[in-house]
Amino acid sequence: MKKKIIIILTFIILGYVLFKVGLLLYYRDLNNYSTDYNKITIKDKKVAIDKSFANTKISNLNIYIPSEFIKSDDYTYIPKNETKNNFTTAIIISKRIKCYEQTKEDDKRLQTIGYEKLMKKNNINSERDLIQYYYTKRKNKNIFTSSNDIKMNYLSEICVKNSPLDNKIKNYYLSGDLNGILNVSNNYYNVSVYDKNTDEYYSIGIFKNSNKKDYTNLISDEVFNKILKSIYFS
């Protein structure tokens, strides 16, 4: 009887180990990336919205567009005295796909991971939360790591690698009245904000071609902060 119990326990333990090893091998990203995401630093930036700043509405998004800019197409604003094919600065606003759905079509793991239930179970409400999970809560993976944590590690890692994060620029978590991520370099600001009412993401990119001879800095840090503080959804 004792021998039978030992055999049963051995099979149970072996089955558990094989199951966990299978999960660990399945939920791993085999792609190579030029960026070392583990070295990225992300600071916090709290935003207090002033709705009176907003003067433009695109779908549900309200935002401030400086008076020096005109609408070039449905998504792009450029300086008044410049043309669509030859501009020094551009504000580009559009809806975008979620970070964990960008590669879903080619990734069977994302197709079967059940990310909506997984995120709800772990109190993850947005991409920003997933990115924060990657940098603050993920655990070293081994056979004792829970199935939940193995899947969350993978989902958050894919989200980080499908985001504009880079260790050569400044990265921020947007909090307070905004839920999102901000990336800043010498030549651009990139804002990703989440509208929880519609479960949609908006990308706001401000690009500066400062190498052009006729370039004028129309969007200083002060102007950009006014744009950031104007963003709200209705």
Side-chain angles (χ1 to χ4, degrees), residues 29-61:
D29 187 7
L30 299 176
N31 295 310
N32 293 317
Y33 299 87
S34 58
T35 300
D36 186 348
Y37 290 94
N38 292 318
K39 293 183 178 180
I40 290 176
T41 300
I42 309 177
K43 298 181 179 180
D44 291 307
K45 187 175 181 66
K46 192 170 184 178
V47 182
I49 297 302
D50 187 336
K51 293 183 178 181
S52 68
F53 289 162
N55 60 8
T56 303
K57 186 173 183 180
I58 301 173
S59 190
N60 298 321
L61 176 72

Side-chain angles (χ1 to χ4, degrees), residues 25-163:
L25 291 174
Y26 185 68
Y27 288 109
R28 58 177 179 154
D29 187 7
L30 299 176
N31 295 310
N32 293 317
Y33 299 87
S34 58
T35 300
D36 186 348
Y37 290 94
N38 292 318
K39 293 183 178 180
I40 290 176
T41 300
I42 309 177
K43 298 181 179 180
D44 291 307
K45 187 175 181 66
K46 192 170 184 178
V47 182
I49 297 302
D50 187 336
K51 293 183 178 181
S52 68
F53 289 162
N55 60 8
T56 303
K57 186 173 183 180
I58 301 173
S59 190
N60 298 321
L61 176 72
N62 297 271
I63 191 171
Y64 166 69
I65 302 294
S67 59
E68 295 87 354
F69 288 77
I70 58 171
K71 191 174 185 180
S72 173
D73 57 38
D74 289 343
Y75 306 103
T76 307
Y77 294 81
I78 61 175
K80 288 180 178 179
N81 61 338
E82 297 179 2
T83 63
K84 182 177 180 180
N85 297 322
N86 186 27
F87 55 82
T88 61
T89 308
I91 303 172
I92 302 175
I93 304 168
S94 62
K95 292 182 182 180
R96 67 165 183 77
I97 195 167
K98 299 168 184 175
C99 63
Y100 43 86
E101 293 183 342
Q102 290 178 25
T103 55
K104 179 182 175 182
E105 193 169 315
D106 300 315
D107 190 338
K108 290 184 179 180
R109 290 160 294 192
L110 287 176
Q111 295 171 16
T112 59
I113 201 170
Y115 51 77
E116 290 181 349
K117 291 182 179 178
L118 189 63
M119 289 172 65
K120 186 176 181 180
K121 178 181 178 181
N122 290 275
N123 196 29
I124 301 292
N125 301 305
S126 67
E127 288 184 5
R128 184 198 64 191
D129 296 345
L130 269 179
I131 292 171
Q132 285 180 318
Y133 181 97
Y134 179 83
Y135 286 106
T136 61
K137 294 182 180 179
R138 66 185 169 124
K139 299 174 176 64
N140 292 326
K141 294 179 287 186
N142 55 57
I143 62 170
F144 301 107
T145 305
S146 70
S147 300
N148 174 80
D149 290 340
I150 291 172
K151 292 178 180 179
M152 279 301 302
N153 281 359
Y154 181 75
L155 182 61
S156 63
E157 181 180 13
I158 291 299
C159 188
V160 165
K161 291 176 178 177
N162 284 336
S163 74

Side-chain angles (χ1 to χ4, degrees), residues 188-203:
Y188 71 84
Y189 304 93
N190 186 75
V191 184
S192 176
V193 285
Y194 177 60
D195 180 5
K196 66 179 181 180
N197 294 319
T198 60
D199 190 31
E200 293 177 320
Y201 288 88
Y202 284 80
S203 176

